[in-house]
Amino acid sequence: MRYSLFSIARHALNSHKGWTEAWKKPPLQKQYDVVIIGGGGHGLATAYYLAKFNNNLRVAVLEKGWIGGGNTGRNTTGIRSNYFLTENAKFYDHSLKLWENLTQELNFNLMFSQRGMVSLCHSSSDGERLATRYNALRLNDIDGDTLTLDQLKIMLPDLNYSPAARFPISGAVIQRRAGVARHDAVAWGFARAASRLGVDIIENCEVTNIDISKNCVTSIQTSKGNVACEKIGICVAGHTSEIARMVGLKLPMETHLLQAMVTEPVKPFLNTLVVSPALHCYISQTDKGEILIGGGIDGYNSYSQRGTWPKIEEIVSGAISMFPRLRGLRLMRTWAGIMDMTMDGAPIIGQTPIKHLYINGGWCIGGFKAIPGAGWCFAQTILNDQPHPLTEPFSLDRFRTGRLLSESGAGNQPHKQ
Amino acid sequence: MLLIPCPFCGPRSEDEFTFGGDATLVTPKEEGNIEAAADHIFLRDNPKGWHKEYWVHRYGCRRWMIVVRHTVTHKIKSVSLATAINQ
Ligand SMILES: Cc1cc2nc3c(=O)[nH]c(=O)nc-3n(C[C@H](O)[C@H](O)[C@H](O)COP(=O)(O)OP(=O)(O)OC[C@H]3O[C@@H](n4cnc5c(N)ncnc54)[C@H](O)[C@@H]3O)c2cc1C
Ligand SMILES: [Zn+2]
């Protein structure tokens, strides 16, 4: 059923008793053309685009918990394409363009709000670095502006402009097309749209092994039984190494915690995303009024999905340095997700040494924004059994060929990214 | 929050330590094998379970140590000084 003003009116006549479930809950079949492991944003988007590009395919998404219960439901929803490296910039801007029409495409309100993202400069070298990045953006036809201190003060009067601040603010850059979306709605919207195209979404179904014959995928073992399949796409974020281990693959990846937290809700005072690279902290205000705060990863390998205290203290102190008036607020909730941190900070999308086994992962701390873009490219990679031009640079073999994509120059130390 | 039992300083908060990554990596002996070198630099076991890893007690005795820690429960099984490395 399409959602529209008319469907609301029609159902209102029947006291809203006629609404049906947004996506079906079919039983697991014995055989599929493509099985996607992981019902986060990436798995669901991939399944949706697979079904959209070839509606004859039998596609299933297998999720061990509930859809959107992983990082997709835990992130701070920053969506942007302000990347320096051309490969990154082109890919993420493709994704951002898909976001701009996604609510309409999925017929599901993602509450996508392009409220802009401001990155603060705290020194002249900060300023030069960000100006270089934003000039590179413009060369790639992506929007980006610099803001003087006076412009910034009008936009964000509550920042700490004191010259005595821990990191005094000297200016900023802004990508105005950047924004936020409702994370749950992204999972639900893709699930509903995929289900309408015939994709089976199976929750509480954990993949426990992958069967291979003559170096090619043949079937998959799950907590709900075995399934024969032609192709498999891995979209499991922090568990990518665990799935790869099933087929004897070792990946350039470590799993780390990333936390976020919200304060109690307050009246609207922040209508954009603000990030301070120097303070390793970023802030936005949710539609409910909470101040949403995030920072860097906790710093040691973990699959626990539970954050640690020292990091919360560090992130909060950064937030208060930026906006001193946050000092009086109480934290309401904190949580963590487990991140698939690659050795160069860029994702891995494409084929593996095993035929018909494909990886979409290594999103590090920023794969929410990539959900439509990567789903779009990854679906075509699986369909055609060859890399999509936009994601070809993100191939797994770049770690052997040396064509790394190190945006921050952090190198092979995920725990320091 | 970890309480890491330093062999010199006793149980201390993780705040005082810095993580140094996977301690199972062994530099390949063979020279000139680019693929082996790349695999050594980039590939990780990344286990969901017990993980052997380096930590340095930066705000304490400043010694490097090898900690065996569980990546789901964060329990610490053993701590030893990282003296035997590369011998
Ligand atoms: C605190 C935090 C803040 C973030 N902020 C941002 C941000 O501002 N902007 C941004 O772009 N990104 C951000 N991210 C990153 C972003 O959330 C992720 O990169 C993205 O959601 C990954 O989506 P996914 O579908 O790959 O993973 P997930 O949503 O984690 O989905 C993977 C799914 O696989 C399932 N799974 C795992 N193993 C198995 C198995 N064996 N069998 C079946 N299913 C399995 C899991 O249960 C899970 O549901 C943030 C992340 C966190 C944690
Ligand atoms: Zn010590």
Side-chain angles (χ1 to χ4, degrees), chain A residues 64 238-239 241-242 245 250-257 299-304 306-310 313 343 399-400 404 412 414-416, chain B residues 1-2 13-15 18-22 25 34-36 38-39 41-49 51 53 55 69-74:
Chain A
K64 73 171 173 185
H239 281 91
S241 296
E242 286 292 304
R245 204 185 314 284
K250 206 164 154 181
L251 297 178
M253 208 181 278
E254 286 179 7
T255 297
H256 285 263
L257 293 170
Y300 45 90
N301 296 42
S302 177
Y303 285 80
S304 74
R306 284 187 316 275
T308 63
W309 288 106
E313 194 177 357
M343 293 289 149
F399 295 93
R400 279 195 168 175
L404 299 185
N412 62 327
H415 55 278
K416 291 191 184 148
Chain B
M1 176 111 177
L2 304 180
S13 148
E14 77 175 68
D15 270 358
T18 303
F19 183 66
D22 188 334
L25 302 170
I34 302 260
E35 294 202 338
D39 289 356
I41 292 170
F42 297 119
L43 301 190
R44 298 288 184 274
D45 272 334
N46 191 25
K48 183 175 184 176
H51 189 234
E53 56 199 26
W55 288 83
R69 183 183 57 89
H70 199 281
T71 57
V72 180
T73 62
H74 289 187

Side-chain angles (χ1 to χ4, degrees), chain A residues 168-188:
Chain A
I169 297 167
S170 55
V173 290
I174 181 167
Q175 182 178 29
R176 296 183 203 274
R177 282 165 64 237
V180 293
R182 183 177 176 206
H183 44 19
D184 295 326
V186 174
W188 299 337

Side-chain angles (χ1 to χ4, degrees), chain A residues 25-340:
Chain A
K25 307 222 162 176
L28 182 66
Q29 303 297 311
K30 286 267 162 279
Q31 195 187 343
Y32 288 96
D33 295 317
V34 184
V35 167
I36 302 295
I37 314 175
H42 282 282
L44 294 164
T46 303
Y48 166 71
Y49 288 112
L50 274 170
K52 178 177 164 163
F53 297 146
N54 180 350
N55 202 234
N56 297 321
L57 285 181
R58 292 285 300 127
V59 180
V61 177
L62 310 185
E63 163 57 49
K64 73 171 173 185
W66 63 95
I67 60 166
N71 296 339
T72 299
R74 295 164 190 260
N75 74 93
T76 47
T77 79
I79 297 164
R80 59 191 174 88
S81 64
N82 57 350
Y83 284 78
F84 175 69
L85 298 177
T86 303
E87 295 87 342
N88 281 339
K90 291 227 157 99
F91 166 71
Y92 284 105
D93 204 54
H94 171 68
S95 195
L96 181 49
K97 284 183 183 138
L98 291 174
W99 276 107
E100 286 171 336
N101 197 37
L102 204 55
T103 284
Q104 290 73 15
E105 159 133 20
L106 300 180
N107 180 234
F108 203 95
N109 188 358
L110 307 179
M111 297 170 84
F112 179 50
S113 156
Q114 290 176 291
R115 54 185 67 183
M117 188 180 97
V118 173
S119 304
L120 301 178
C121 311
H122 297 278
S123 64
S124 55
S125 59
D126 252 11
E128 272 171 33
R129 199 170 42 79
L130 285 171
T132 310
R133 171 132 72 100
Y134 273 60
N135 285 335
L137 277 189
R138 296 172 79 134
L139 289 175
N140 278 324
D141 249 345
I142 298 170
D143 71 303
D145 277 319
T146 49
L147 296 175
T148 64
L149 205 50
D150 290 335
Q151 288 171 311
L152 188 63
K153 280 180 179 164
I154 294 168
M155 246 187 111
L156 292 167
D158 292 301
L159 279 170
N160 182 4
Y161 292 103
S162 160
R166 190 162 144 220
F167 294 106
I169 297 167
S170 55
V173 290
I174 181 167
Q175 182 178 29
R176 296 183 203 274
R177 282 165 64 237
V180 293
R182 183 177 176 206
H183 44 19
D184 295 326
V186 174
W188 299 337
F190 270 115
R192 174 169 167 270
S195 179
R196 280 162 54 123
L197 293 177
V199 171
D200 285 359
I201 296 164
I202 319 278
E203 292 175 300
N204 299 311
C205 180
E206 179 168 3
V207 170
T208 51
N209 215 343
I210 294 173
D211 301 313
I212 290 172
S213 162
K214 300 196 184 97
N215 199 43
C216 183
V217 161
T218 58
S219 60
I220 191 162
Q221 299 174 23
T222 82
S223 55
K224 293 194 170 182
N226 292 4
V227 182
C229 58
E230 200 132 305
K231 297 180 174 181
I232 296 176
I234 305 173
C235 300
V236 295
H239 281 91
T240 310
S241 296
E242 286 292 304
I243 300 287
R245 204 185 314 284
M246 295 173 185
V247 296
L249 264 184
K250 206 164 154 181
L251 297 178
M253 208 181 278
E254 286 179 7
T255 297
H256 285 263
L257 293 170
L258 183 69
Q259 303 198 58
M261 55 212 77
V262 287
T263 67
E264 55 197 326
V266 289
K267 286 188 175 172
F269 86 101
L270 185 57
N271 62 0
T272 178
L273 267 147
V274 192
V275 51
S276 163
L279 291 162
H280 293 291
C281 177
Y282 60 97
I283 302 182
S284 62
Q285 187 167 20
T286 69
D287 293 334
K288 289 181 277 183
E290 305 143 329
I291 307 302
L292 174 60
I293 311 172
I297 56 176
D298 276 27
Y300 45 90
N301 296 42
S302 177
Y303 285 80
S304 74
Q305 283 190 328
R306 284 187 316 275
T308 63
W309 288 106
K311 200 67 193 183
I312 296 177
E313 194 177 357
E314 185 190 316
I315 293 172
V316 166
S317 75
I320 293 172
S321 304
M322 263 199 261
F323 290 101
R325 68 184 319 198
L326 296 183
R327 186 175 288 127
L329 291 180
R330 281 161 294 194
L331 278 187
M332 212 164 57
R333 288 191 305 279
T334 76
W335 63 91
I338 55 171
M339 320 309 305
D340 29 347

